[in-house]
Amino acid sequence: MLGDSRGSSGDSVDDIDRAVGELAARGVVFERYEAFDQDAKGIAREAPGPAIAWFKDPAGNIVSVLQPNGT
């Protein structure tokens, strides 16, 4: 929606487990979505797609951490 300050963005990483672990250690809480099968860390791994996890930034924007090769 135009004018809405919320949005989404993301970062591609080489090792999603390490990235999610480091963020969680800093207090980041990962989102859960019923549409995705997510592991205990909040990472969705649906082959053949990417591995992805989501969290909200302080402004409420959804941010993703994505590992393109999905392993």
Side-chain angles (χ1 to χ4, degrees):
M1 176 161 123
L2 293 175
D4 190 348
S5 64
R6 292 186 187 197
S8 65
S9 65
D11 287 310
S12 180
V13 297
D14 292 328
D15 184 343
I16 194 166
D17 289 290
R18 187 181 85 229
V20 167
E22 289 174 0
L23 289 166
R26 293 183 178 144
V28 172
V29 177
F30 286 86
E31 298 293 304
R32 296 280 177 178
Y33 297 106
E34 290 182 21
F36 295 96
D37 183 22
Q38 293 169 275
D39 65 16
K41 295 179 183 178
I43 302 169
R45 302 173 195 269
E46 296 185 15
I52 187 167
W54 302 268
F55 62 94
K56 289 182 181 174
D57 71 10
N61 300 302
I62 300 295
V63 180
S64 64
V65 177
L66 178 135
Q67 183 176 331
N69 63 6
T71 58

